[in-house]
mmCIF file of all heavy atoms in Angstrom:
data_model
loop_
_atom_site.group_PDB
_atom_site.id
_atom_site.type_symbol
_atom_site.label_atom_id
_atom_site.label_comp_id
_atom_site.label_asym_id
_atom_site.label_seq_id
_atom_site.Cartn_x
_atom_site.Cartn_y
_atom_site.Cartn_z
ATOM 1 N N ASP A 49 0.835 -1.187 0.000
ATOM 2 C CA ASP A 49 0.000 0.000 0.000
ATOM 3 C C ASP A 49 0.881 1.251 0.000
ATOM 4 O O ASP A 49 1.486 1.599 1.016
ATOM 5 C CB ASP A 49 -0.904 -0.007 1.238
ATOM 6 C CG ASP A 49 -1.949 1.080 1.208
ATOM 7 O OD1 ASP A 49 -2.449 1.408 0.120
ATOM 8 O OD2 ASP A 49 -2.270 1.606 2.293
ATOM 9 N N ASP A 50 0.961 1.899 -1.165
ATOM 10 C CA ASP A 50 1.785 3.111 -1.300
ATOM 11 C C ASP A 50 3.212 2.875 -0.824
ATOM 12 O O ASP A 50 3.798 3.697 -0.097
ATOM 13 C CB ASP A 50 1.159 4.275 -0.522
ATOM 14 C CG ASP A 50 -0.116 4.782 -1.175
ATOM 15 O OD1 ASP A 50 -0.244 4.639 -2.408
ATOM 16 O OD2 ASP A 50 -0.988 5.295 -0.453
ATOM 17 N N GLY A 51 3.773 1.747 -1.216
ATOM 18 C CA GLY A 51 5.150 1.435 -0.874
ATOM 19 C C GLY A 51 5.335 0.785 0.481
ATOM 20 O O GLY A 51 6.443 0.324 0.804
ATOM 21 N N GLU A 52 4.260 0.717 1.290
ATOM 22 C CA GLU A 52 4.343 0.094 2.610
ATOM 23 C C GLU A 52 3.873 -1.354 2.525
ATOM 24 O O GLU A 52 2.902 -1.661 1.823
ATOM 25 C CB GLU A 52 3.480 0.853 3.615
ATOM 26 C CG GLU A 52 3.891 2.297 3.836
ATOM 27 C CD GLU A 52 5.226 2.411 4.536
ATOM 28 O OE1 GLU A 52 5.542 1.548 5.381
ATOM 29 O OE2 GLU A 52 5.979 3.365 4.231
ATOM 30 N N LEU A 53 4.550 -2.230 3.268
ATOM 31 C CA LEU A 53 4.203 -3.652 3.297
ATOM 32 C C LEU A 53 3.517 -3.992 4.609
ATOM 33 O O LEU A 53 3.958 -3.581 5.698
ATOM 34 C CB LEU A 53 5.467 -4.509 3.174
ATOM 35 C CG LEU A 53 6.007 -4.786 1.777
ATOM 36 C CD1 LEU A 53 7.358 -5.488 1.892
ATOM 37 C CD2 LEU A 53 5.046 -5.631 0.980
ATOM 38 N N TYR A 54 2.440 -4.749 4.503
ATOM 39 C CA TYR A 54 1.741 -5.279 5.673
ATOM 40 C C TYR A 54 1.544 -6.774 5.422
ATOM 41 O O TYR A 54 0.822 -7.147 4.490
ATOM 42 C CB TYR A 54 0.391 -4.594 5.878
ATOM 43 C CG TYR A 54 0.504 -3.101 6.082
ATOM 44 C CD1 TYR A 54 0.492 -2.236 4.983
ATOM 45 C CD2 TYR A 54 0.631 -2.559 7.357
ATOM 46 C CE1 TYR A 54 0.593 -0.868 5.153
ATOM 47 C CE2 TYR A 54 0.735 -1.183 7.536
ATOM 48 C CZ TYR A 54 0.724 -0.342 6.430
ATOM 49 O OH TYR A 54 0.829 1.019 6.605
ATOM 50 N N LEU A 55 2.172 -7.581 6.228
ATOM 51 C CA LEU A 55 2.041 -9.033 6.074
ATOM 52 C C LEU A 55 1.225 -9.568 7.245
ATOM 53 O O LEU A 55 1.709 -9.650 8.382
ATOM 54 C CB LEU A 55 3.416 -9.691 6.011
ATOM 55 C CG LEU A 55 3.447 -11.182 5.719
ATOM 56 C CD1 LEU A 55 2.621 -11.522 4.476
ATOM 57 C CD2 LEU A 55 4.868 -11.666 5.528
ATOM 58 N N TYR A 56 -0.039 -9.892 6.963
ATOM 59 C CA TYR A 56 -0.938 -10.443 7.973
ATOM 60 C C TYR A 56 -0.716 -11.947 8.061
ATOM 61 O O TYR A 56 -0.606 -12.631 7.037
ATOM 62 C CB TYR A 56 -2.389 -10.150 7.604
ATOM 63 C CG TYR A 56 -2.686 -8.675 7.468
ATOM 64 C CD1 TYR A 56 -2.686 -8.060 6.214
ATOM 65 C CD2 TYR A 56 -2.951 -7.892 8.580
ATOM 66 C CE1 TYR A 56 -2.943 -6.702 6.078
ATOM 67 C CE2 TYR A 56 -3.211 -6.531 8.456
ATOM 68 C CZ TYR A 56 -3.199 -5.939 7.205
ATOM 69 O OH TYR A 56 -3.447 -4.591 7.083
ATOM 70 N N TYR A 57 -0.662 -12.467 9.276
ATOM 71 C CA TYR A 57 -0.409 -13.888 9.441
ATOM 72 C C TYR A 57 -1.050 -14.407 10.724
ATOM 73 O O TYR A 57 -1.506 -13.621 11.573
ATOM 74 C CB TYR A 57 1.097 -14.186 9.432
ATOM 75 C CG TYR A 57 1.891 -13.575 10.569
ATOM 76 C CD1 TYR A 57 2.150 -14.290 11.745
ATOM 77 C CD2 TYR A 57 2.427 -12.287 10.472
ATOM 78 C CE1 TYR A 57 2.900 -13.741 12.774
ATOM 79 C CE2 TYR A 57 3.180 -11.726 11.489
ATOM 80 C CZ TYR A 57 3.404 -12.455 12.651
ATOM 81 O OH TYR A 57 4.140 -11.904 13.678
ATOM 82 N N THR A 58 -1.110 -15.708 10.852
ATOM 83 C CA THR A 58 -1.606 -16.359 12.055
ATOM 84 C C THR A 58 -0.433 -16.664 12.966
ATOM 85 O O THR A 58 0.482 -17.400 12.575
ATOM 86 C CB THR A 58 -2.338 -17.666 11.711
ATOM 87 O OG1 THR A 58 -3.352 -17.406 10.743
ATOM 88 C CG2 THR A 58 -2.949 -18.284 12.958
ATOM 89 N N ALA A 59 -0.431 -16.084 14.158
ATOM 90 C CA ALA A 59 0.569 -16.424 15.162
ATOM 91 C C ALA A 59 0.074 -17.682 15.873
ATOM 92 O O ALA A 59 -0.839 -17.624 16.699
ATOM 93 C CB ALA A 59 0.763 -15.278 16.142
ATOM 94 N N ALA A 60 0.653 -18.814 15.528
ATOM 95 C CA ALA A 60 0.200 -20.110 16.041
ATOM 96 C C ALA A 60 1.088 -20.529 17.203
ATOM 97 O O ALA A 60 2.313 -20.619 17.060
ATOM 98 C CB ALA A 60 0.241 -21.157 14.940
ATOM 99 N N GLY A 61 0.473 -20.787 18.335
ATOM 100 C CA GLY A 61 1.220 -21.190 19.516
ATOM 101 C C GLY A 61 1.689 -19.990 20.317
ATOM 102 O O GLY A 61 1.987 -18.923 19.776
ATOM 103 N N ASP A 62 1.758 -20.182 21.619
ATOM 104 C CA ASP A 62 2.218 -19.140 22.542
ATOM 105 C C ASP A 62 3.736 -19.216 22.631
ATOM 106 O O ASP A 62 4.291 -20.195 23.139
ATOM 107 C CB ASP A 62 1.573 -19.366 23.910
ATOM 108 C CG ASP A 62 2.004 -18.338 24.938
ATOM 109 O OD1 ASP A 62 2.847 -17.471 24.614
ATOM 110 O OD2 ASP A 62 1.501 -18.406 26.077
ATOM 111 N N GLU A 63 4.406 -18.186 22.130
ATOM 112 C CA GLU A 63 5.871 -18.223 22.088
ATOM 113 C C GLU A 63 6.517 -18.237 23.468
ATOM 114 O O GLU A 63 7.704 -18.544 23.600
ATOM 115 C CB GLU A 63 6.405 -17.045 21.273
ATOM 116 C CG GLU A 63 6.046 -15.674 21.789
ATOM 117 C CD GLU A 63 4.767 -15.122 21.176
ATOM 118 O OE1 GLU A 63 3.909 -15.925 20.774
ATOM 119 O OE2 GLU A 63 4.638 -13.886 21.113
ATOM 120 N N SER A 64 5.748 -17.894 24.521
ATOM 121 C CA SER A 64 6.306 -17.932 25.872
ATOM 122 C C SER A 64 6.195 -19.311 26.518
ATOM 123 O O SER A 64 6.756 -19.532 27.601
ATOM 124 C CB SER A 64 5.596 -16.901 26.757
ATOM 125 O OG SER A 64 4.225 -17.257 26.950
ATOM 126 N N ALA A 65 5.489 -20.241 25.879
ATOM 127 C CA ALA A 65 5.299 -21.582 26.443
ATOM 128 C C ALA A 65 6.466 -22.495 26.085
ATOM 129 O O ALA A 65 7.101 -22.339 25.036
ATOM 130 C CB ALA A 65 3.991 -22.178 25.937
ATOM 131 N N ASP A 66 6.738 -23.451 26.950
ATOM 132 C CA ASP A 66 7.816 -24.402 26.701
ATOM 133 C C ASP A 66 7.397 -25.477 25.711
ATOM 134 O O ASP A 66 8.217 -25.947 24.918
ATOM 135 C CB ASP A 66 8.257 -25.060 28.015
ATOM 136 C CG ASP A 66 8.908 -24.071 28.976
ATOM 137 O OD1 ASP A 66 9.524 -23.095 28.481
ATOM 138 O OD2 ASP A 66 8.782 -24.263 30.201
ATOM 139 N N ASP A 67 6.131 -25.875 25.759
ATOM 140 C CA ASP A 67 5.653 -26.958 24.903
ATOM 141 C C ASP A 67 4.870 -26.404 23.712
ATOM 142 O O ASP A 67 4.257 -25.328 23.783
ATOM 143 C CB ASP A 67 4.756 -27.916 25.702
ATOM 144 C CG ASP A 67 5.510 -28.595 26.843
ATOM 145 O OD1 ASP A 67 6.709 -28.888 26.658
ATOM 146 O OD2 ASP A 67 4.883 -28.798 27.901
ATOM 147 N N LEU A 68 4.858 -27.174 22.643
ATOM 148 C CA LEU A 68 4.099 -26.795 21.455
ATOM 149 C C LEU A 68 2.617 -26.741 21.789
ATOM 150 O O LEU A 68 2.080 -27.656 22.410
ATOM 151 C CB LEU A 68 4.355 -27.813 20.342
ATOM 152 C CG LEU A 68 3.830 -27.454 18.958
ATOM 153 C CD1 LEU A 68 4.704 -26.378 18.327
ATOM 154 C CD2 LEU A 68 3.817 -28.692 18.060
ATOM 155 N N ASN A 69 1.942 -25.655 21.395
ATOM 156 C CA ASN A 69 0.507 -25.564 21.627
ATOM 157 C C ASN A 69 -0.157 -24.918 20.418
ATOM 158 O O ASN A 69 0.501 -24.514 19.466
ATOM 159 C CB ASN A 69 0.199 -24.820 22.934
ATOM 160 C CG ASN A 69 0.711 -23.393 22.929
ATOM 161 O OD1 ASN A 69 0.244 -22.553 22.150
ATOM 162 N ND2 ASN A 69 1.682 -23.089 23.784
ATOM 163 N N TYR A 70 -1.486 -24.819 20.480
ATOM 164 C CA TYR A 70 -2.265 -24.432 19.300
ATOM 165 C C TYR A 70 -3.080 -23.162 19.516
ATOM 166 O O TYR A 70 -4.061 -22.928 18.826
ATOM 167 C CB TYR A 70 -3.150 -25.608 18.868
ATOM 168 C CG TYR A 70 -2.327 -26.774 18.395
ATOM 169 C CD1 TYR A 70 -1.857 -27.732 19.297
ATOM 170 C CD2 TYR A 70 -1.964 -26.884 17.066
ATOM 171 C CE1 TYR A 70 -1.061 -28.785 18.862
ATOM 172 C CE2 TYR A 70 -1.172 -27.932 16.624
ATOM 173 C CZ TYR A 70 -0.726 -28.874 17.528
ATOM 174 O OH TYR A 70 0.077 -29.910 17.096
ATOM 175 N N THR A 71 -2.658 -22.333 20.469
ATOM 176 C CA THR A 71 -3.250 -21.012 20.600
ATOM 177 C C THR A 71 -3.108 -20.270 19.278
ATOM 178 O O THR A 71 -2.095 -20.381 18.591
ATOM 179 C CB THR A 71 -2.543 -20.229 21.721
ATOM 180 O OG1 THR A 71 -2.768 -20.890 22.962
ATOM 181 C CG2 THR A 71 -3.051 -18.808 21.805
ATOM 182 N N GLN A 72 -4.131 -19.491 18.912
ATOM 183 C CA GLN A 72 -4.091 -18.773 17.639
ATOM 184 C C GLN A 72 -4.560 -17.338 17.822
ATOM 185 O O GLN A 72 -5.546 -17.085 18.499
ATOM 186 C CB GLN A 72 -4.983 -19.480 16.601
ATOM 187 C CG GLN A 72 -4.530 -20.875 16.255
ATOM 188 C CD GLN A 72 -5.607 -21.687 15.567
ATOM 189 O OE1 GLN A 72 -6.329 -21.173 14.718
ATOM 190 N NE2 GLN A 72 -5.728 -22.954 15.937
ATOM 191 N N ARG A 73 -3.843 -16.427 17.200
ATOM 192 C CA ARG A 73 -4.252 -15.026 17.156
ATOM 193 C C ARG A 73 -3.778 -14.445 15.828
ATOM 194 O O ARG A 73 -2.894 -14.996 15.172
ATOM 195 C CB ARG A 73 -3.684 -14.254 18.339
ATOM 196 C CG ARG A 73 -2.171 -14.195 18.409
ATOM 197 C CD ARG A 73 -1.747 -13.763 19.825
ATOM 198 N NE ARG A 73 -0.343 -13.394 19.918
ATOM 199 C CZ ARG A 73 0.654 -14.254 20.094
ATOM 200 N NH1 ARG A 73 0.401 -15.564 20.162
ATOM 201 N NH2 ARG A 73 1.895 -13.830 20.209
ATOM 202 N N ILE A 74 -4.390 -13.348 15.437
ATOM 203 C CA ILE A 74 -4.079 -12.746 14.147
ATOM 204 C C ILE A 74 -3.099 -11.603 14.365
ATOM 205 O O ILE A 74 -3.319 -10.723 15.213
ATOM 206 C CB ILE A 74 -5.363 -12.278 13.454
ATOM 207 C CG1 ILE A 74 -6.191 -13.517 13.060
ATOM 208 C CG2 ILE A 74 -5.054 -11.432 12.226
ATOM 209 C CD1 ILE A 74 -7.555 -13.208 12.518
ATOM 210 N N ALA A 75 -2.017 -11.636 13.611
ATOM 211 C CA ALA A 75 -0.929 -10.689 13.790
ATOM 212 C C ALA A 75 -0.574 -10.038 12.461
ATOM 213 O O ALA A 75 -1.023 -10.464 11.388
ATOM 214 C CB ALA A 75 0.292 -11.404 14.376
#
């Protein structure tokens, strides 16, 4: 958009957790 990039993605898993999980949020 007018030279600016926006990459929307799914942040899968809580990066603060030790184990793999399936929390999902839009980033």
Side-chain angles (χ1 to χ4, degrees):
D49 189 35
D50 289 333
E52 298 292 326
L53 276 172
Y54 300 89
L55 186 51
Y56 301 97
Y57 64 94
T58 306
D62 179 357
E63 60 268 27
S64 66
D66 294 330
D67 298 325
L68 190 74
N69 61 65
Y70 294 87
T71 296
Q72 297 163 41
R73 62 196 193 276
I74 292 173

